[in-house]
Amino acid sequence: MGDFCRSCMARIPYATVIATLMCLLGVGIFCGTMYRGASLTVIMMDQVFHLRLIWIEAVQMIFVIIAAGMAALGFMILFIGFLATGATRYKVYRAWRSRVGGRISCAVLMGLTYVLNFLWTCILCFLVVCTFVYTMFWSMCSSVERSLSCIDLTQFHFIFPANIKQEDLKICEKYEIKAFCKDGVENAEVMFILATLAVLLVILSLVHYLMCLSANYAHIRDHEKFQELQEIQNLNELEFTAASKDRF
């Protein structure tokens, strides 16, 4: 039983498992917080600026697709990691075709992971800008609470659609200030901060994936050389055994 447990433990790709957990956790937090942040933004735009953002629903559906796609990618890389670890590698990649297929799979996943790393970096930059804007909005809300004045967003007119008038960007009514600050900006800012941290976790997991796939590619490639050396050693042993029998 102890040998069986040690054999099973030796077949587990720990680095890939850790990267997969990080990826799933980061993508889950990102999609959940962005979905909630987008919902709060829609409600705030409707209550304060009387603007309906219909395209937000499509963006929320994109978050669901991103979660499913990243989960599928993580499990595929984890599957390749299990095949290329420990004694499993010696059984799976024994034939020439299986070794070529394993190397091609690792190369394709490395290319896909590299592209996704670039895309998630772009998402990180977008979230940093969004978090900065919402932080500025929250600082304006804090100053308005102390001075009991209006919130003037005319300097941020480029963020809002062109059909919003300049006077509509001045929030003076108490219920609108509450809907903008307490119900909208305060909660959405927390969501965007959590989403930014989650994207950092996803990027870190993708870097781990690249390292694991590179190591698996090298293991599969070197396994062919190991097979050749093993065959040469077996032939030498057979020749030595045959020569010993002839001698006696």
Side-chain angles (χ1 to χ4, degrees):
M1 187 67 181
D3 294 336
F4 178 76
C5 291
R6 284 194 293 269
S7 176
C8 291
M9 296 293 288
R11 296 170 186 260
I12 299 175
Y14 295 100
T16 309
V17 170
I18 293 173
T20 302
L21 293 176
M22 292 170 56
C23 180
L24 295 178
L25 180 62
V27 171
I29 295 175
F30 168 78
C31 293
T33 53
M34 287 299 294
Y35 192 95
R36 177 59 177 166
S39 301
L40 291 172
T41 301
V42 169
I43 295 172
M44 181 187 68
M45 287 292 182
D46 186 20
Q47 293 182 351
V48 178
F49 304 104
H50 308 290
L51 183 66
R52 299 296 300 273
L53 300 179
I54 303 175
W55 54 270
I56 290 291
E57 296 181 357
V59 174
Q60 291 175 333
M61 183 59 64
I62 291 175
F63 295 150
V64 178
I65 297 174
I66 289 174
M70 290 299 296
L73 176 68
F75 285 120
M76 283 192 294
I77 297 177
L78 184 61
F79 179 72
I80 294 295
F82 273 105
L83 293 181
T85 303
T88 308
R89 181 172 66 249
Y90 300 105
K91 295 181 180 180
V92 174
Y93 299 111
R94 186 181 298 274
W96 177 80
R97 290 184 178 180
S98 60
R99 289 194 295 268
V100 173
R103 291 169 65 180
I104 292 175
S105 300
C106 289
V108 171
L109 288 175
M110 278 193 291
L112 183 60
T113 304
Y114 186 85
V115 173
L116 287 174
N117 197 4
F118 176 76
L119 294 178
W120 279 99
T121 303
C122 294
I123 294 175
L124 176 64
C125 296
F126 172 76
L127 281 175
V128 168
V129 173
C130 289
T131 305
F132 177 74
V133 170
Y134 271 83
T135 302
M136 293 184 65
F137 286 168
W138 178 243
S139 64
M140 295 175 65
C141 289
S142 300
S143 62
V144 165
E145 289 179 356
R146 292 191 296 266
S147 60
L148 300 178
S149 59
C150 297
I151 299 177
D152 189 4
L153 301 177
T154 53
Q155 65 268 32
F156 300 102
H157 65 89
F158 57 90
I159 299 177
F160 298 91
N163 56 351
I164 295 183
K165 300 178 181 179
Q166 294 286 338
E167 55 269 17
D168 294 334
L169 295 178
K170 292 183 178 181
I171 306 172
C172 297
E173 298 293 334
K174 289 185 177 180
Y175 73 93
E176 290 184 348
I177 293 176
K178 179 181 180 298
F180 180 78
C181 295
K182 293 293 183 181
D183 301 334
V185 172
E186 182 178 0
N187 296 324
E189 182 187 11
V190 176
M191 294 295 105
F192 285 124
I193 291 174
L194 292 176
T196 303
L197 297 177
V199 171
L200 288 174
L201 187 61
V202 173
I203 293 174
L204 185 60
S205 68
L206 291 175
V207 173
H208 281 209
Y209 275 143
L210 285 174
M211 293 187 293
C212 295
L213 288 170
S214 300
N216 292 333
Y217 182 89
H219 288 158
I220 297 172
R221 181 193 60 191
D222 295 337
H223 183 66
E224 183 177 0
K225 299 178 181 179
F226 177 79
Q227 287 285 108
E228 294 176 354
L229 291 175
Q230 189 69 31
E231 292 175 359
I232 293 173
Q233 183 178 0
N234 293 334
L235 289 174
N236 291 333
E237 290 179 355
L238 289 175
E239 291 177 357
F240 179 76
T241 303
S244 299
K245 289 181 179 180
D246 294 339
R247 183 179 303 172
F248 293 105

